[in-house]
Amino acid sequence: MQKKQQYALGFYLGYPLLWLLGWLPLVVLYRLSDLFFLLVTALGYRKKVIDKNLLMAFPEKSQKERATIRRRFYRHFADLFVETLILQHRKAEKIRRRVEVENFEVMENLLAQGRDVVAVSAHYGNWEWVPAASLGLQALGTSVYRPLKNPYFDRFMLRLRSLYGSRNIPLKNVAREIVGFKRQNQRFILGLISDQSPSKFELHYWTTFLTQDTPVILGPEKMARLAKAKVVYWQMDKIKRGRYRMRFVPYPGDEASDPEFAITEWHVRLLEAQIQQHPEYWLWSHKRWKYQHLKK
C-alpha cells in the first residue's frame, strides 16, 4: 500500500472516533486519559527516544529519577491528547476559564503603542490552548507551522488551530506575509514554536541547552528584526490537571540594536529554566539532538 493510501486509511478510520470523543465532558475524557496513560506506559511509547533524551539532558540524575520523569511525561501526554480533542466542539471562553493569564496588560500595552509582536512559545504545557487563552487582543493572531507528514491529519490540526481566529502561515511564506501586513498597516502577533529542530540546511547557530550542544532555530529573532516587532516569551506553566497559567515576558533589550543571537539566547534560557523546574511538561518524545554530530 502506498504511503498516501496509508495516511488516508489511518485518517478516515480514526477521525470519526476523534470527532465523537471531542463531544465528551472533560471530566469523562480524563478517565479515558487514565486508560491512555496505562496503554502508552505498557507499550513504552517511544521509550528509547525519551530515555535517550532524558539521559542527555539530565546525566546527573539517577536512572530511577529519569524513569519517574518519563512516567510523569506519559501522564501529561495522555492529558494533552484529550485536551486537544475538546477544541473541536468547545467555545473559546470555556478554554479560557482553564488558563489563568497573569499579566494580560503587557500585550495590551504593546499593541496600544503600535508595536507588532513576535510571540515565542514552546512544546511545553498545552500549546494548543494558547490561541483561545489570548483572545481579546486587538491584533491579527497568526502562527507559523510546518506541515505534518500525514496531509489528512495536517488539515485536521490546521482546522483546530484556526477555530478561534488564528491564521496559520507556512514557514516558507512568513517573510512575505509580514511585508504584506506592514503595507496594509495591519497590527499582528506572530506566534512561533521555538524548540523545533532546524532542518539540516539551517544549522546556523549552536548553543548549550540542557547540557547538550544544540542547534536552535533563529526564526523569532529574524522575524522580529524584519518586522521591527517586540519579542515576547509566552510562558505557559501547568498548575494542575486541566489548569494552566500564562505569563507574558517581554524581551528586556532592544531587538533592533542588540547583538546577533542575543534574543535567541534569551528565550532559550527561559525555556531551559522551565524544563529544569518541571521536566515532565516538555515534549520528550521527539528526537531532540539528532544533528549533534554535525557540529563536529
Side-chain angles (χ1 to χ4, degrees):
M1 184 182 296
Q2 294 182 354
K3 203 72 171 179
K4 186 175 181 179
Q5 293 174 318
Q6 292 176 337
Y7 286 148
L9 180 62
F11 176 77
Y12 288 116
L13 288 176
Y15 175 70
L17 178 61
L18 298 179
W19 186 85
L20 289 171
L21 288 175
W23 284 106
L24 295 175
L26 194 52
V27 65
V28 176
L29 284 172
Y30 279 137
R31 301 288 76 79
L32 293 178
S33 173
D34 292 339
L35 297 176
F36 185 46
F37 161 67
L38 294 176
L39 178 64
V40 296
T41 302
L43 295 177
Y45 170 72
R46 308 208 74 178
K47 182 176 180 294
K48 289 184 178 180
V49 172
I50 295 168
D51 285 349
K52 182 179 179 180
N53 285 337
L54 288 172
L55 177 60
M56 294 177 74
F58 302 112
E60 77 286 357
K61 293 186 183 296
S62 67
Q63 184 175 351
K64 182 177 180 181
E65 288 173 318
R66 292 193 295 268
T68 298
I69 295 173
R70 181 194 348 113
R71 182 176 177 84
R72 289 175 177 171
F73 164 70
Y74 279 152
R75 168 68 72 185
H76 173 66
F77 182 73
D79 282 355
L80 184 63
F81 175 69
V82 300
E83 288 172 3
T84 301
L85 289 181
I86 69 167
L87 293 174
Q88 299 175 91
H89 311 303
R90 297 300 195 281
K91 292 183 178 179
E93 186 55 38
K94 290 195 173 183
I95 304 298
R96 292 179 69 183
R97 291 173 190 164
R98 293 183 169 273
V99 183
E100 172 191 334
V101 181
E102 284 189 348
N103 55 348
F104 204 70
E105 69 279 359
V106 167
M107 289 296 299
E108 290 178 318
N109 291 341
L110 286 171
L111 295 172
Q113 294 165 17
R115 299 296 303 273
D116 298 309
V117 173
V118 171
V120 183
S121 58
H123 291 104
Y124 190 92
N126 187 337
W127 56 95
E128 301 294 354
W129 281 10
V130 168
S134 59
L135 278 180
L137 293 172
Q138 300 303 305
L140 174 64
T142 68
S143 59
V144 180
Y145 80 96
R146 290 179 176 176
L148 301 175
K149 290 182 179 180
N150 186 322
Y152 300 93
F153 277 104
D154 182 61
R155 287 196 293 269
F156 172 69
M157 291 306 300
L158 282 178
R159 186 178 69 82
L160 285 188
R161 292 167 178 170
S162 303
L163 287 175
Y164 304 130
S166 180
R167 177 175 171 182
N168 296 277
I169 304 173
L171 179 61
K172 63 181 181 180
N173 296 341
V174 173
R176 183 176 63 195
E177 292 287 337
I178 286 177
V179 171
F181 295 152
K182 288 294 187 181
R183 288 175 177 170
Q184 299 165 22
N185 292 319
Q186 171 66 64
R187 188 73 53 238
F188 65 89
I189 301 168
L190 181 69
L192 296 115
I193 299 290
S194 65
D195 58 347
Q196 299 183 79
S197 294
S199 72
K200 61 182 179 180
F201 305 108
E202 299 173 317
L203 304 179
H204 304 310
Y205 182 69
W206 294 74
T207 189
T208 301
F209 175 66
L210 295 174
T211 79
Q212 299 300 308
D213 291 328
T214 307
V216 184
I217 61 172
L218 296 174
E221 182 165 332
K222 288 182 177 180
M223 295 304 106
R225 296 185 193 277
L226 173 65
K228 297 180 175 59
K230 187 66 184 175
V231 178
V232 180
Y233 185 74
W234 288 24
Q235 179 174 319
M236 173 174 271
D237 295 300
K238 189 169 185 175
I239 303 172
K240 61 181 181 179
R241 192 178 221 182
R243 299 288 177 180
Y244 296 87
R245 179 184 295 114
M246 278 184 61
R247 185 164 66 93
F248 300 116
V249 185
Y251 177 64
D254 187 313
E255 289 84 353
S257 62
D258 278 0
E260 189 177 15
F261 310 129
I263 297 170
T264 299
E265 280 292 333
W266 170 77
H267 68 70
V268 165
R269 297 303 147 226
L270 287 175
L271 173 60
E272 185 178 53
Q274 281 188 278
I275 296 170
Q276 288 171 336
Q277 186 171 15
H278 292 291
E280 62 269 30
Y281 302 140
W282 196 44
L283 191 62
W284 292 98
S285 51
H286 288 186
K287 293 182 179 180
R288 291 295 180 182
W289 290 284
K290 58 185 176 181
Y291 295 126
Q292 187 176 14
H293 66 284
L294 296 178
K295 184 174 185 290
K296 299 178 181 179

